Amino acid sequence: MRHVVPPGPGRDGGAAQVGAALLTVAGVLVALVVVYLLRWWLFAGLVSAVVIVGGTAAVVGWCVLVALYLRRTHEVLFGGGYPDDPLPGEGEDPAHRSYHGGPAWWDLRAVLSWSWAVAAPWSVFLLPHLLAHALVVGAYLASAWAVAGVLRLADSGLLLVRRIRMVCPGCFARLGYPAYLCVTCGRRHTSIRPGGRGLWRRACLCGTRLPTLLLLGAAGLDARCPHCDRGLEHRPGESREFVLPLFGGTGAGKTRLVTGMHLALAQAAERSPEASVEPVGEESVRRLRDCARTLAERTASTPPGREVRGLTVRVGAGGRTLLVQVFDAAGERFNRSATAEELAYLGKASTFVLVVDPLGIEAVWRSLSGRERTHLAGERSHTRDPELAYGAVRDEIRRQYRMLGRGRLTPRRRTRLAVVVTRGDLLRGTAVAPGEEDPRAWAERVLGLGNLLRDAGAHFGRVRVLVTSAVTDAAGRADPSLGALLRWLLAEEDEAFTAMLTSGETPGTGAGGPGRRTDPEPQYVEGAG
């Protein structure tokens, strides 16, 4: 009997492999035959199908990417999906950044970050859109900052043309631009000019919009000194400022002279149509209140320890406005160079007033008769030689000019000095009265100021000697010599102010001039202030 061996699994597997190989070879042969018979038509059709399918997929994918990019861009720019603005850091102004001050770049970065996170390497297909977006943002930023530069230049040009230089009457610092307080929340904005936080207007953190230019009304805001935080009630930047330092020995009559000058200005404004004189600030109002009554009384010397503050008066005439800042420091500050260095306002001025008390000069006092000395003994101040105060202040002015980069003091057109001899009314009728003599020649001959005046002529552009009387007559009118002094001081300002001081004035040129009393017992009494 024949034994039959059943086929094993290994054998069947080998046969299947052989069959598959034969079928593959047959299929390739058939394909080659078909290709040979149909030639390139079939190959071209296959390639075209692949290109069409792949191109369609690429276009659809690109359109989807673009649609998603546009949607995200819209969400960032208009839909509230933009990054939050960081709060101002320490030392920065409490105002929101304008779009060109940072948010434009932040929005672009947010879109780029999203594109990479979503599309990863496929975001390369968005490269033309991203480049166009970046170019638009760059052009906008360039335009915005150019506008900011033009606005700043126009604002600075306006200040330059109007010769406006701002000085703090408290710390005497030159102000490039004041700080301003928000009208709603009181936050302090140090740099309110056009920049990254606004062009024409800026938004405070409380939402209040503030003007950024003097042209747009920034001068009407509550201004503060950015250095000492003192309130600037005189609205700096709105009008030209005239800084006038007075210096001299103790009791020379500086305080009384300031009061008399204010009274002369106020009375001149009353005589002139459309003219006005207004004290600015509580201290100015307090110290200049009731000038006529103050001049009728004895004036005490300025206390040595009193802080020096500028007295600001706004003078208007002929459509022009001038802010006159008068600085009156105690005479003890001018005795030594060390204390004169504290008077930083000296470098901000170009016109100076040296106040000289003739009765305090020993040579003048000895020239009086015994009767005259007895009569004037209570009025004499014990000021030191005026050359001491003059020398200390002259050196300090030169030092501050050099520090401020204004060069040496010698150029003639830069500075002026008025040497004001006070108490002209008390000298009238005495042996040392100036009479009709030229004031400078009289000061050299009688007061012994020859060396001082020659030195002043070498260091100041113009020097003028004036004899004044800070007194009023029976009708309460200020002495004409004060008007003559003011006319010389304001001669380089607008002629409307000198015209205001001349309008309606009675003839007279000062102490001892025409139209003045010359009797030896005058009805005026000037104190030692």
Side-chain angles (χ1 to χ4, degrees):
M1 183 173 178
R2 190 177 179 178
H3 180 70
V4 180
V5 179
R11 185 174 180 177
D12 292 341
Q17 292 177 358
V18 172
L22 292 175
L23 290 175
T24 302
V25 172
V28 171
L29 292 175
V30 171
L32 291 175
V33 171
V34 172
V35 169
Y36 175 76
L37 295 176
L38 299 178
R39 291 182 175 83
W40 58 272
W41 295 102
L42 180 60
F43 181 75
L46 292 174
V47 171
S48 298
V50 173
V51 170
I52 292 173
V53 172
T56 302
V59 170
V60 171
W62 180 79
C63 291
V64 171
L65 283 177
V66 171
L68 293 175
Y69 161 77
L70 294 176
R71 179 182 177 183
R72 179 57 182 169
T73 302
H74 183 273
E75 290 177 353
V76 170
L77 296 180
F78 307 105
Y82 49 81
D84 293 333
D85 295 352
L87 293 175
E90 184 178 357
E92 295 183 332
D93 277 5
H96 295 288
R97 289 184 178 273
S98 187
Y99 194 65
H100 64 275
W105 283 123
W106 301 339
D107 290 354
L108 176 61
R109 185 174 60 186
V111 172
L112 291 176
S113 301
W114 174 89
S115 299
W116 178 257
V118 172
W122 300 107
S123 60
V124 69
F125 293 107
L126 294 176
L127 186 60
H129 298 79
L130 298 176
L131 288 177
H133 191 166
L135 289 175
V136 170
V137 171
Y140 166 74
L141 292 178
S143 301
W145 283 106
V147 171
V150 170
L151 291 176
R152 283 198 174 208
L153 184 62
D155 201 46
S156 300
L158 176 65
L159 296 177
L160 182 63
V161 169
R162 298 174 64 184
R163 298 187 301 163
I164 295 178
R165 292 181 177 180
M166 295 171 278
V167 177
C168 174
C171 66
F172 322 128
R174 177 80 72 187
L175 306 180
Y177 225 74
Y180 293 99
L181 301 183
C182 175
V183 296
T184 302
C185 66
R187 289 187 173 96
R188 181 185 177 200
H189 296 253
T190 303
S191 179
I192 202 171
R193 304 188 73 185
R197 300 187 184 275
L199 294 178
W200 288 274
R201 293 186 176 274
R202 62 164 48 193
C204 180
L205 292 181
C206 70
T208 303
R209 300 189 64 81
L210 306 174
T212 61
L213 294 168
L214 296 175
L215 293 170
L216 299 177
L221 300 176
D222 188 2
R224 313 285 295 187
C225 175
H227 305 285
C228 67
D229 201 36
R230 170 190 169 95
L232 305 176
E233 301 94 338
H234 61 283
R235 301 195 301 273
E238 191 176 59
S239 306
R240 175 167 165 76
E241 297 181 12
F242 180 72
V243 178
L244 182 64
L246 277 71
F247 63 99
T250 305
K254 300 183 297 297
T255 302
R256 191 175 185 88
L257 181 62
V258 171
T259 305
M261 291 166 57
H262 177 264
L263 179 62
L265 278 173
Q267 292 180 349
E270 292 175 357
R271 297 191 300 265
S272 303
E274 300 181 358
S276 62
V277 172
E278 174 192 3
V280 179
E282 295 181 1
E283 185 170 358
S284 297
V285 172
R286 177 180 57 81
R287 291 183 58 185
L288 299 177
R289 185 187 297 119
D290 300 331
C291 293
R293 181 178 58 82
T294 302
L295 294 181
E297 301 173 351
R298 184 180 179 85
T299 305
S301 300
T302 302
R306 193 189 71 182
E307 181 183 3
V308 181
R309 291 288 183 90
L311 297 180
T312 304
V313 178
R314 180 178 287 106
V315 182
R320 305 290 185 180
T321 304
L322 182 68
L323 288 169
V324 180
Q325 290 191 24
V326 182
F327 291 91
D328 168 27
E332 287 79 6
R333 292 180 178 267
F334 306 112
N335 292 336
R336 300 188 309 274
S337 298
T339 53
E341 291 179 359
E342 301 173 2
L343 308 179
Y345 57 81
L346 294 174
K348 314 301 188 301
S350 59
T351 300
F352 305 87
V353 176
L354 169 61
V355 182
V356 177
D357 174 21
L359 299 179
I361 301 175
E362 188 62 31
V364 175
W365 185 253
R366 290 198 303 266
S367 299
L368 297 173
S369 65
R371 179 176 177 274
E372 291 169 343
R373 286 198 295 267
T374 301
H375 177 71
L376 297 175
E379 306 298 336
R380 186 191 183 195
S381 65
H382 297 282
T383 182
R384 304 178 66 182
D385 189 341
E387 291 193 17
L388 297 176
Y390 164 77
V393 173
R394 175 204 60 200
D395 295 341
E396 181 60 21
I397 292 172
R398 297 180 64 181
R399 186 186 71 84
Q400 292 190 24
Y401 264 56
R402 287 195 297 268
M403 290 180 59
L404 294 172
R406 301 178 67 180
R408 298 178 60 191
L409 188 61
T410 52
R412 299 297 187 191
R413 64 181 179 83
R414 185 163 294 177
T415 56
R416 300 187 304 155
L417 174 66
V419 180
V420 178
V421 181
T422 58
R423 298 192 170 97
D425 57 302
L426 296 180
L427 296 179
R428 195 180 311 124
T430 66
V432 295
E436 300 296 334
E437 187 179 4
D438 176 66
R440 182 180 182 116
W442 171 79
E444 293 178 353
R445 179 180 61 84
V446 177
L447 305 185
L449 300 181
N451 292 334
L452 186 152
L453 294 175
R454 283 188 291 273
D455 185 86
H459 292 89
F460 291 85
R462 294 178 59 190
V463 179
R464 177 74 177 272
V465 178
L466 300 102
V467 182
T468 63
S469 301
V471 294
T472 57
D473 60 13
R477 294 187 297 267
D479 191 89
S481 62
L482 299 172
L485 170 61
L486 287 168
R487 284 195 297 273
W488 189 84
L489 295 175
L490 301 180
E492 295 189 354
E493 302 300 322
D494 196 280
E495 62 181 8
F497 304 112
T498 54
M500 178 193 74
L501 291 165
T502 306
S503 176
E505 187 179 74
T506 56
T509 58
R516 297 292 311 280
R517 293 174 55 94
T518 57
D519 40 316
E521 297 291 335
Q523 66 185 64
Y524 312 119
V525 177
E526 182 175 5

